[in-house]
Amino acid sequence: GSSFATNYPAPDREQLTQMFTRREVSILEGLVAGRSNPEIAADLQLSRETVKKYTARVMRKLGASSRADAAVRYVRLASTSE
């Protein structure tokens, strides 16, 4: 399939903040760190179900097929927007 990160112009910092809420960024940072949903939930004091919903939402926004794919796509976006 096509790659989101290479087929779209890299967003700048403002676009990233428009693309993701602060909570979504917190979830993405957990994914990048390789943390599980229960670990992210404990860190953010959220329920596992809430983390699961946010994870699905950020994966959808990124066009990612897995948690690892979402993490890689987010890192690429964040690194090109600094």
Side-chain angles (χ1 to χ4, degrees):
S2 63
S3 171
F4 176 87
T6 58
N7 290 335
Y8 292 92
D12 61 25
R13 177 64 58 194
E14 183 177 329
Q15 288 172 314
L16 260 186
T17 59
Q18 290 174 359
M19 187 174 186
F20 300 107
T21 66
R22 278 183 272 153
R23 179 64 74 201
E24 289 169 341
V25 169
S26 296
I27 299 294
L28 282 161
E29 288 171 351
L31 295 179
V32 169
R35 302 182 68 76
S36 68
N37 283 356
E39 290 171 325
I40 295 169
D43 289 346
L44 301 178
Q45 298 181 336
L46 298 171
S47 73
R48 292 178 182 190
E49 194 60 34
T50 298
V51 171
K52 185 177 176 180
K53 288 177 184 177
Y54 274 109
T55 300
R57 184 181 304 166
V58 297
M59 286 177 60
R60 193 168 43 253
K61 284 185 176 185
L62 289 166
S65 59
S66 68
R67 294 166 60 90
D69 187 28
V72 168
R73 288 171 189 244
Y74 177 69
V75 167
R76 284 182 184 160
L77 289 174
S79 67
T80 58
S81 64
E82 292 178 353

